Coordinates of all heavy atoms in Angstrom, one line a residue:
M1 N 14.1 -65.4 3.5 CA 13.0 -64.5 4.0 C 12.2 -63.9 2.9 O 11.3 -63.1 3.1 CB 13.7 -63.4 4.8 CG 14.3 -63.9 6.1 SD 13.1 -64.4 7.4 CE 12.7 -62.8 8.1
K2 N 12.6 -64.2 1.6 CA 12.0 -63.5 0.5 C 10.4 -63.6 0.5 O 9.7 -62.7 0.1 CB 12.5 -64.1 -0.8 CG 11.9 -63.5 -2.0 CD 12.6 -64.1 -3.3 CE 11.9 -63.6 -4.5 NZ 11.1 -64.6 -5.2
N3 N 9.9 -64.8 0.9 CA 8.5 -65.0 0.8 C 7.7 -64.7 2.1 O 6.6 -65.1 2.2 CB 8.2 -66.4 0.4 CG 8.7 -66.7 -1.1 OD1 8.6 -65.8 -1.9 ND2 9.2 -67.8 -1.4
N4 N 8.4 -64.1 3.1 CA 7.8 -63.7 4.3 C 7.1 -62.4 4.2 O 7.8 -61.4 4.1 CB 8.7 -63.7 5.5 CG 8.8 -65.0 6.2 OD1 8.1 -65.9 5.9 ND2 9.8 -65.1 7.2
I5 N 5.8 -62.3 4.2 CA 5.1 -61.0 4.2 C 4.5 -60.8 5.6 O 3.8 -61.7 6.1 CB 3.9 -61.0 3.2 CG1 4.5 -61.2 1.8 CG2 3.2 -59.7 3.3 CD1 3.5 -61.2 0.7
K6 N 4.9 -59.8 6.3 CA 4.5 -59.5 7.6 C 3.0 -59.1 7.7 O 2.4 -58.5 6.7 CB 5.3 -58.4 8.2 CG 6.8 -58.8 8.4 CD 7.5 -57.6 9.1 CE 8.9 -58.1 9.6 NZ 9.9 -58.4 8.6
I7 N 2.3 -59.4 8.8 CA 0.9 -59.1 8.9 C 0.7 -57.6 8.8 O -0.3 -57.1 8.3 CB 0.4 -59.7 10.3 CG1 0.3 -61.2 10.2 CG2 -1.0 -59.1 10.6 CD1 -0.1 -61.9 11.4
G8 N 1.7 -56.8 9.4 CA 1.5 -55.3 9.2 C 1.5 -54.9 7.8 O 0.7 -54.0 7.4
A9 N 2.3 -55.6 6.9 CA 2.3 -55.2 5.5 C 0.9 -55.6 4.9 O 0.4 -54.9 4.1 CB 3.4 -55.9 4.8
L10 N 0.3 -56.7 5.3 CA -1.0 -57.1 4.8 C -2.1 -56.1 5.3 O -3.0 -55.8 4.5 CB -1.3 -58.5 5.3 CG -0.5 -59.6 4.7 CD1 -0.9 -61.0 5.3 CD2 -0.6 -59.7 3.2
R11 N -1.9 -55.6 6.5 CA -2.9 -54.6 7.0 C -2.8 -53.3 6.1 O -3.8 -52.7 5.7 CB -2.6 -54.2 8.4 CG -3.0 -55.3 9.4 CD -2.7 -54.8 10.8 NE -2.7 -55.8 11.8 CZ -3.8 -56.5 12.3 NH1 -4.9 -56.1 11.9 NH2 -3.6 -57.4 13.1
I12 N -1.6 -52.9 5.7 CA -1.4 -51.8 4.9 C -2.0 -52.1 3.5 O -2.7 -51.2 2.9 CB 0.1 -51.4 4.8 CG1 0.6 -50.8 6.1 CG2 0.3 -50.4 3.7 CD1 2.1 -50.6 6.3
F13 N -1.7 -53.3 3.0 CA -2.3 -53.6 1.7 C -3.8 -53.6 1.7 O -4.5 -53.1 0.8 CB -1.8 -55.0 1.2 CG -2.3 -55.3 -0.2 CD1 -1.8 -54.7 -1.3 CD2 -3.4 -56.2 -0.3 CE1 -2.3 -54.9 -2.6 CE2 -3.9 -56.4 -1.6 CZ -3.4 -55.8 -2.7
A14 N -4.4 -54.1 2.8 CA -5.9 -54.1 2.9 C -6.4 -52.7 2.9 O -7.4 -52.4 2.3 CB -6.3 -54.8 4.2
A15 N -5.7 -51.8 3.6 CA -6.1 -50.4 3.6 C -6.0 -49.8 2.2 O -6.9 -49.0 1.8 CB -5.3 -49.6 4.6
I16 N -4.9 -50.1 1.5 CA -4.8 -49.6 0.1 C -6.0 -50.1 -0.7 O -6.5 -49.4 -1.5 CB -3.5 -50.1 -0.5 CG1 -2.3 -49.5 0.2 CG2 -3.4 -49.9 -2.0 CD1 -0.9 -50.1 -0.2
S17 N -6.3 -51.4 -0.5 CA -7.4 -52.0 -1.4 C -8.8 -51.3 -1.1 O -9.7 -51.4 -2.0 CB -7.5 -53.5 -1.1 OG -8.1 -53.7 0.1
E18 N -8.9 -50.6 0.0 CA -10.2 -50.0 0.4 C -10.1 -48.5 0.2 O -11.1 -47.8 0.4 CB -10.6 -50.3 1.8 CG -10.8 -51.8 2.0 CD -10.9 -52.3 3.4 OE1 -10.8 -51.4 4.3 OE2 -11.1 -53.5 3.6
A19 N -9.0 -47.9 -0.3 CA -8.9 -46.5 -0.4 C -8.9 -46.1 -1.8 O -8.7 -46.9 -2.7 CB -7.6 -46.1 0.3
D20 N -9.1 -44.8 -2.0 CA -9.1 -44.2 -3.4 C -7.6 -43.8 -3.8 O -7.3 -43.8 -5.0 CB -9.9 -43.0 -3.5 CG -11.4 -43.3 -3.4 OD1 -11.8 -44.5 -3.7 OD2 -12.2 -42.4 -3.0
T21 N -6.8 -43.5 -2.8 CA -5.4 -43.1 -3.1 C -4.5 -43.7 -2.0 O -5.0 -44.1 -0.9 CB -5.3 -41.6 -3.1 OG1 -5.5 -41.1 -1.7 CG2 -6.2 -40.9 -4.1
L22 N -3.2 -43.7 -2.3 CA -2.3 -44.2 -1.3 C -2.3 -43.2 -0.1 O -2.1 -43.6 1.1 CB -0.9 -44.3 -1.9 CG -0.7 -45.4 -2.9 CD1 0.8 -45.5 -3.4 CD2 -1.2 -46.8 -2.5
T23 N -2.4 -41.9 -0.4 CA -2.5 -40.9 0.7 C -3.7 -41.2 1.6 O -3.5 -41.1 2.9 CB -2.6 -39.5 0.1 OG1 -1.4 -39.3 -0.7 CG2 -2.6 -38.5 1.2
Q24 N -4.8 -41.5 1.1 CA -6.0 -41.8 1.9 C -5.8 -43.1 2.7 O -6.1 -43.1 3.9 CB -7.2 -42.0 1.0 CG -8.5 -42.2 1.7 CD -9.7 -42.4 0.8 OE1 -9.8 -43.5 0.2 NE2 -10.5 -41.4 0.6
A25 N -5.1 -44.1 2.2 CA -4.8 -45.3 3.0 C -3.9 -44.9 4.1 O -4.1 -45.4 5.2 CB -4.1 -46.3 2.1
A26 N -2.9 -44.1 3.8 CA -1.9 -43.7 4.9 C -2.7 -42.9 6.0 O -2.4 -43.1 7.2 CB -0.8 -42.8 4.3
E27 N -3.6 -42.0 5.6 CA -4.3 -41.2 6.6 C -5.1 -42.1 7.5 O -5.2 -41.9 8.7 CB -5.2 -40.2 5.9 CG -4.4 -39.0 5.3 CD -5.2 -38.1 4.4 OE1 -6.4 -38.4 4.2 OE2 -4.6 -37.1 4.0
R28 N -5.8 -43.1 6.9 CA -6.6 -44.1 7.7 C -5.8 -44.8 8.7 O -6.3 -45.2 9.8 CB -7.3 -45.0 6.8 CG -8.4 -44.4 6.0 CD -9.1 -45.4 5.1 NE -10.1 -44.8 4.2 CZ -10.8 -45.4 3.3 NH1 -10.6 -46.7 3.1 NH2 -11.7 -44.8 2.6
L29 N -4.5 -45.1 8.3 CA -3.6 -45.9 9.2 C -2.8 -45.1 10.2 O -2.2 -45.6 11.1 CB -2.7 -46.8 8.3 CG -3.4 -47.9 7.5 CD1 -2.4 -48.4 6.5 CD2 -3.9 -49.0 8.4
G30 N -2.8 -43.7 9.9 CA -2.0 -42.9 10.7 C -0.5 -43.0 10.5 O 0.3 -42.8 11.4
I31 N -0.1 -43.3 9.2 CA 1.3 -43.4 8.8 C 1.5 -42.5 7.6 O 0.5 -42.0 7.1 CB 1.7 -44.8 8.6 CG1 0.9 -45.5 7.4 CG2 1.6 -45.7 9.8 CD1 1.3 -46.9 7.0
T32 N 2.7 -42.4 7.2 CA 3.0 -41.5 6.0 C 2.7 -42.2 4.7 O 2.7 -43.5 4.6 CB 4.5 -41.1 6.0 OG1 5.3 -42.3 5.8 CG2 4.9 -40.5 7.3
Q33 N 2.4 -41.4 3.7 CA 2.2 -41.9 2.4 C 3.4 -42.7 1.9 O 3.3 -43.7 1.2 CB 1.8 -40.8 1.4 CG 1.3 -41.3 0.0 CD 2.4 -41.3 -1.0 OE1 3.4 -40.5 -0.9 NE2 2.4 -42.2 -1.9
S34 N 4.6 -42.2 2.2 CA 5.8 -42.8 1.8 C 5.9 -44.3 2.4 O 6.3 -45.2 1.7 CB 7.0 -42.0 2.3 OG 8.2 -42.6 2.1
A35 N 5.5 -44.4 3.7 CA 5.5 -45.8 4.3 C 4.6 -46.7 3.5 O 4.9 -47.9 3.3 CB 5.2 -45.7 5.7
V36 N 3.4 -46.2 3.1 CA 2.5 -47.0 2.4 C 3.1 -47.4 1.0 O 3.0 -48.6 0.6 CB 1.1 -46.3 2.2 CG1 0.2 -47.0 1.2 CG2 0.4 -46.1 3.6
S37 N 3.6 -46.4 0.3 CA 4.3 -46.7 -1.0 C 5.4 -47.7 -0.9 O 5.5 -48.6 -1.7 CB 4.8 -45.4 -1.6 OG 3.8 -44.5 -1.9
Q38 N 6.2 -47.6 0.1 CA 7.4 -48.5 0.3 C 6.9 -49.9 0.6 O 7.4 -50.9 0.1 CB 8.3 -48.0 1.5 CG 9.1 -46.8 1.1 CD 9.9 -46.3 2.2 OE1 9.6 -46.5 3.4 NE2 11.0 -45.5 1.9
T39 N 5.9 -50.0 1.5 CA 5.3 -51.3 1.8 C 4.7 -52.0 0.5 O 4.9 -53.2 0.3 CB 4.3 -51.2 2.9 OG1 4.9 -50.7 4.1 CG2 3.7 -52.6 3.2
L40 N 4.0 -51.2 -0.2 CA 3.4 -51.8 -1.5 C 4.5 -52.3 -2.4 O 4.4 -53.3 -3.0 CB 2.5 -50.7 -2.2 CG 2.0 -51.1 -3.5 CD1 1.1 -52.3 -3.4 CD2 1.2 -49.9 -4.1
K41 N 5.5 -51.4 -2.5 CA 6.7 -51.8 -3.4 C 7.3 -53.1 -2.9 O 7.6 -54.0 -3.7 CB 7.7 -50.7 -3.4 CG 8.8 -50.9 -4.4 CD 9.7 -49.7 -4.4 CE 11.0 -49.9 -5.2 NZ 11.9 -48.7 -5.2
Q42 N 7.5 -53.3 -1.6 CA 8.1 -54.5 -1.0 C 7.2 -55.7 -1.3 O 7.7 -56.8 -1.7 CB 8.3 -54.3 0.5 CG 9.4 -53.4 0.9 CD 9.4 -53.1 2.4 OE1 8.4 -53.4 3.1 NE2 10.5 -52.6 2.9
I43 N 5.9 -55.6 -1.1 CA 5.0 -56.7 -1.4 C 5.0 -57.1 -2.8 O 5.0 -58.2 -3.2 CB 3.5 -56.4 -0.9 CG1 3.5 -56.2 0.6 CG2 2.6 -57.5 -1.3 CD1 2.2 -55.7 1.1
E44 N 5.0 -56.1 -3.7 CA 5.1 -56.4 -5.1 C 6.4 -57.1 -5.5 O 6.4 -58.0 -6.4 CB 4.9 -55.1 -6.0 CG 3.4 -54.6 -5.9 CD 3.2 -53.4 -6.8 OE1 4.1 -52.6 -7.0 OE2 2.0 -53.2 -7.2
Q45 N 7.5 -56.7 -4.9 CA 8.8 -57.4 -5.1 C 8.7 -58.8 -4.6 O 9.2 -59.7 -5.3 CB 9.9 -56.6 -4.5 CG 10.2 -55.3 -5.2 CD 11.3 -54.5 -4.5 OE1 11.5 -54.6 -3.3 NE2 11.9 -53.5 -5.2
Q46 N 8.1 -59.0 -3.4 CA 8.0 -60.3 -2.8 C 7.2 -61.2 -3.7 O 7.4 -62.4 -3.8 CB 7.5 -60.2 -1.4 CG 8.6 -59.7 -0.4 CD 8.0 -59.5 1.0 OE1 7.0 -58.8 1.1 NE2 8.6 -60.1 1.9
T47 N 6.1 -60.7 -4.2 CA 5.1 -61.5 -5.0 C 5.5 -61.6 -6.4 O 4.9 -62.3 -7.2 CB 3.7 -61.0 -4.8 OG1 3.6 -59.7 -5.3 CG2 3.2 -61.1 -3.4
E48 N 6.5 -60.7 -6.8 CA 6.9 -60.6 -8.2 C 5.8 -60.3 -9.2 O 5.7 -60.9 -10.3 CB 7.7 -61.9 -8.6 CG 8.9 -62.1 -7.7 CD 9.7 -63.4 -8.1 OE1 9.2 -64.2 -8.9 OE2 10.8 -63.5 -7.6
T49 N 4.9 -59.4 -8.7 CA 3.8 -59.1 -9.6 C 3.3 -57.7 -9.2 O 3.4 -57.3 -8.1 CB 2.6 -60.1 -9.6 OG1 1.7 -59.8 -10.6 CG2 2.0 -60.1 -8.2
Q50 N 2.7 -57.0 -10.2 CA 2.0 -55.7 -9.9 C 0.7 -56.0 -9.2 O -0.1 -56.8 -9.7 CB 1.8 -54.9 -11.2 CG 1.2 -53.5 -10.9 CD 1.0 -52.7 -12.2 OE1 1.2 -53.2 -13.3 NE2 0.5 -51.5 -12.0
L51 N 0.4 -55.3 -8.1 CA -0.8 -55.6 -7.4 C -1.8 -54.4 -7.5 O -3.0 -54.6 -7.3 CB -0.5 -55.8 -5.9 CG 0.4 -57.0 -5.6 CD1 0.9 -57.0 -4.2 CD2 -0.3 -58.3 -5.9
V52 N -1.3 -53.2 -7.8 CA -2.1 -52.0 -7.8 C -1.8 -51.2 -9.0 O -0.6 -51.0 -9.4 CB -1.9 -51.2 -6.5 CG1 -2.7 -49.9 -6.5 CG2 -2.2 -52.0 -5.3
V53 N -2.8 -50.6 -9.6 CA -2.6 -49.6 -10.7 C -2.8 -48.3 -10.0 O -3.9 -47.8 -9.8 CB -3.7 -49.8 -11.8 CG1 -3.4 -48.8 -12.9 CG2 -3.6 -51.2 -12.4
T54 N -1.6 -47.7 -9.7 CA -1.7 -46.4 -8.9 C -1.9 -45.2 -9.8 O -2.3 -44.2 -9.2 CB -0.4 -46.2 -8.1 OG1 0.7 -46.3 -9.0 CG2 -0.2 -47.3 -7.0
R55 N -1.8 -45.4 -11.1 CA -2.0 -44.2 -11.9 C -3.5 -43.9 -12.1 O -3.8 -42.8 -12.6 CB -1.3 -44.4 -13.3 CG 0.2 -44.4 -13.1 CD 0.9 -44.4 -14.4 NE 2.3 -44.4 -14.1 CZ 3.3 -44.6 -15.0 NH1 3.0 -44.8 -16.2 NH2 4.5 -44.6 -14.6
S56 N -4.3 -44.8 -11.9 CA -5.8 -44.6 -12.0 C -6.3 -43.9 -10.7 O -5.7 -44.1 -9.7 CB -6.5 -45.8 -12.3 OG -6.6 -46.7 -11.2
R57 N -7.3 -43.1 -10.9 CA -8.0 -42.5 -9.7 C -9.4 -42.9 -9.8 O -10.1 -42.5 -10.7 CB -7.8 -41.0 -9.8 CG -6.4 -40.5 -9.6 CD -5.9 -40.6 -8.1 NE -4.6 -40.2 -7.9 CZ -3.5 -41.0 -7.8 NH1 -3.7 -42.3 -7.9 NH2 -2.3 -40.5 -7.6
P58 N -10.0 -43.6 -8.8 CA -9.3 -44.1 -7.7 C -8.3 -45.3 -8.1 O -8.5 -45.8 -9.2 CB -10.4 -44.7 -6.8 CG -11.5 -45.0 -7.7 CD -11.4 -44.0 -8.8
I59 N -7.4 -45.6 -7.2 CA -6.5 -46.7 -7.5 C -7.3 -48.0 -7.7 O -8.3 -48.1 -7.1 CB -5.3 -46.8 -6.5 CG1 -5.9 -47.0 -5.1 CG2 -4.4 -45.7 -6.5 CD1 -4.9 -47.3 -4.0
K60 N -6.7 -48.9 -8.5 CA -7.4 -50.1 -8.8 C -6.5 -51.3 -8.5 O -5.3 -51.2 -8.7 CB -7.9 -50.2 -10.3 CG -8.9 -49.2 -10.6 CD -9.4 -49.5 -12.1 CE -10.4 -48.5 -12.4 NZ -10.1 -47.7 -13.6
L61 N -7.0 -52.4 -8.0 CA -6.2 -53.6 -7.9 C -6.2 -54.3 -9.2 O -7.1 -54.4 -9.9 CB -6.9 -54.5 -6.8 CG -7.0 -53.9 -5.4 CD1 -7.6 -55.0 -4.5 CD2 -5.7 -53.5 -4.8
T62 N -5.0 -54.9 -9.4 CA -4.9 -55.8 -10.6 C -5.6 -57.1 -10.2 O -5.9 -57.3 -9.0 CB -3.4 -56.1 -10.9 OG1 -2.8 -56.8 -9.8 CG2 -2.6 -54.8 -11.2
P63 N -5.8 -58.1 -11.1 CA -6.3 -59.4 -10.7 C -5.5 -60.0 -9.6 O -6.1 -60.6 -8.7 CB -6.3 -60.2 -12.0 CG -6.5 -59.1 -13.1 CD -5.7 -57.9 -12.6
S64 N -4.2 -59.9 -9.7 CA -3.4 -60.5 -8.6 C -3.6 -59.8 -7.3 O -3.6 -60.4 -6.2 CB -1.9 -60.4 -9.0 OG -1.6 -61.2 -10.1
G65 N -3.8 -58.5 -7.4 CA -4.1 -57.7 -6.2 C -5.5 -58.1 -5.5 O -5.6 -58.1 -4.3
Q66 N -6.4 -58.4 -6.4 CA -7.7 -58.9 -5.9 C -7.6 -60.2 -5.1 O -8.2 -60.4 -4.0 CB -8.7 -59.1 -7.0 CG -9.2 -57.8 -7.7 CD -10.2 -57.0 -6.8 OE1 -10.7 -57.5 -5.8 NE2 -10.5 -55.8 -7.2
V67 N -6.7 -61.1 -5.6 CA -6.5 -62.4 -5.0 C -5.8 -62.1 -3.6 O -6.2 -62.7 -2.6 CB -5.6 -63.3 -5.9 CG1 -5.2 -64.5 -5.1 CG2 -6.4 -63.7 -7.1
L68 N -4.8 -61.3 -3.6 CA -4.1 -61.0 -2.4 C -5.0 -60.3 -1.4 O -4.9 -60.6 -0.2 CB -2.8 -60.1 -2.6 CG -2.0 -59.8 -1.4 CD1 -1.5 -61.1 -0.7 CD2 -0.9 -58.9 -1.7
K69 N -5.9 -59.4 -1.8 CA -6.8 -58.8 -0.9 C -7.6 -59.8 -0.1 O -7.8 -59.7 1.1 CB -7.8 -57.9 -1.7 CG -8.8 -57.2 -0.8 CD -9.8 -56.3 -1.6 CE -10.8 -55.7 -0.7 NZ -11.8 -54.9 -1.5
G70 N -8.1 -60.9 -0.8 CA -8.9 -61.9 -0.2 C -8.1 -62.6 0.9 O -8.5 -62.9 2.0
Y71 N -6.8 -63.0 0.5 CA -6.0 -63.7 1.5 C -5.6 -62.8 2.6 O -5.6 -63.2 3.8 CB -4.7 -64.2 0.8 CG -4.8 -65.4 -0.1 CD1 -4.5 -65.3 -1.4 CD2 -5.2 -66.6 0.5 CE1 -4.6 -66.5 -2.2 CE2 -5.4 -67.7 -0.3 CZ -5.1 -67.7 -1.7 OH -5.2 -68.8 -2.5
A72 N -5.3 -61.5 2.3 CA -5.0 -60.6 3.4 C -6.1 -60.4 4.4 O -5.9 -60.5 5.6 CB -4.6 -59.2 2.8
Q73 N -7.3 -60.3 3.9 CA -8.5 -60.1 4.8 C -8.6 -61.4 5.7 O -8.9 -61.3 6.9 CB -9.8 -59.8 4.0 CG -10.0 -58.4 3.7 CD -9.9 -57.4 4.9 OE1 -9.4 -56.3 4.8 NE2 -10.3 -57.8 6.1
Q74 N -8.5 -62.5 5.1 CA -8.6 -63.8 5.8 C -7.6 -63.9 6.9 O -7.9 -64.2 8.0 CB -8.5 -65.0 4.9 CG -8.8 -66.3 5.5 CD -10.3 -66.4 6.0 OE1 -11.2 -66.1 5.2 NE2 -10.5 -66.8 7.2
I75 N -6.3 -63.6 6.6 CA -5.3 -63.7 7.6 C -5.5 -62.6 8.7 O -5.3 -63.0 9.9 CB -3.9 -63.4 6.9 CG1 -3.6 -64.7 6.0 CG2 -2.8 -63.2 7.9 CD1 -2.4 -64.5 5.0
I76 N -5.9 -61.4 8.3 CA -6.1 -60.4 9.4 C -7.2 -60.8 10.3 O -7.1 -60.7 11.5 CB -6.4 -59.0 8.7 CG1 -5.1 -58.5 8.0 CG2 -7.0 -58.0 9.7 CD1 -5.4 -57.4 7.0
N77 N -8.3 -61.3 9.7 CA -9.5 -61.8 10.5 C -9.1 -63.0 11.4 O -9.5 -63.0 12.6 CB -10.6 -62.2 9.6 CG -11.3 -61.0 8.9 OD1 -11.1 -59.8 9.3 ND2 -12.0 -61.2 7.8
D78 N -8.3 -63.9 10.8 CA -7.9 -65.1 11.6 C -7.0 -64.6 12.8 O -7.1 -65.2 13.9 CB -7.1 -66.1 10.7 CG -8.1 -66.8 9.8 OD1 -9.3 -66.8 9.9 OD2 -7.5 -67.5 8.9
T79 N -6.1 -63.7 12.5 CA -5.2 -63.2 13.5 C -6.0 -62.5 14.7 O -5.7 -62.7 15.8 CB -4.2 -62.2 12.9 OG1 -3.5 -62.9 11.9 CG2 -3.2 -61.7 14.0
Q80 N -7.0 -61.7 14.3 CA -7.8 -61.0 15.3 C -8.6 -62.1 16.2 O -8.7 -61.9 17.4 CB -8.8 -60.0 14.6 CG -8.1 -58.8 14.1 CD -9.0 -57.9 13.3 OE1 -10.0 -58.3 12.7 NE2 -8.6 -56.6 13.2
R81 N -9.1 -63.1 15.5 CA -9.8 -64.2 16.3 C -8.9 -64.9 17.2 O -9.2 -65.2 18.3 CB -10.5 -65.1 15.3 CG -11.9 -64.8 14.9 CD -12.6 -65.9 14.2 NE -11.9 -66.5 13.1 CZ -12.0 -66.0 11.8 NH1 -12.8 -64.9 11.6 NH2 -11.4 -66.5 10.8
M82 N -7.7 -65.2 16.7 CA -6.7 -65.9 17.5 C -6.3 -65.1 18.8 O -6.2 -65.6 19.8 CB -5.4 -66.1 16.7 CG -4.3 -66.8 17.4 SD -2.8 -66.9 16.5 CE -2.3 -65.1 16.5
L83 N -6.2 -63.7 18.6 CA -5.8 -62.9 19.7 C -6.9 -62.7 20.7 O -6.8 -62.4 21.8 CB -5.2 -61.6 19.2 CG -3.9 -61.7 18.4 CD1 -3.5 -60.3 17.8 CD2 -2.8 -62.2 19.3

């Protein structure tokens, strides 16, 4: 199951990619900042790479994070079309 990333996690990552802070992403999703942080940590462990530079303000995606953002948006859009 190591390589299974849930669609919900991709939605959280997409929100992170569009926010200035993890807190802002959490507020947009109506979940806790802790849940956003934990999900980001899980995705980074699953992909074995750093995806976000959280120390910068606003947060920035790493090159790997930019790639995942594109895939995440495509999967989210495809899922919405399917449903």
Side-chain angles (χ1 to χ4, degrees):
M1 293 286 278
K2 178 178 177 248
N3 293 324
N4 268 354
I5 298 177
K6 292 184 167 71
I7 290 175
L10 291 178
R11 288 184 197 281
I12 291 171
F13 182 76
I16 292 168
S17 73
E18 295 168 359
D20 291 336
T21 64
L22 296 182
T23 300
Q24 187 182 71
E27 287 169 356
R28 288 180 184 174
L29 294 167
I31 61 177
T32 65
Q33 186 267 329
S34 175
V36 170
S37 294
Q38 288 176 338
T39 299
L40 176 59
K41 186 176 175 183
Q42 287 172 341
I43 295 171
E44 287 182 331
Q45 287 174 343
Q46 288 173 303
T47 60
E48 298 179 351
T49 188
Q50 182 181 4
L51 300 169
V52 177
V53 180
T54 54
R55 293 189 178 169
S56 70
R57 293 284 180 259
I59 55 177
K60 292 184 181 126
L61 298 181
T62 64
S64 296
Q66 290 286 352
V67 171
L68 183 60
K69 177 184 178 182
Y71 284 119
Q73 275 309 141
Q74 186 65 49
I75 291 167
I76 291 166
N77 293 341
D78 288 348
T79 302
Q80 287 172 338
R81 272 196 300 278
M82 178 188 71
L83 295 173

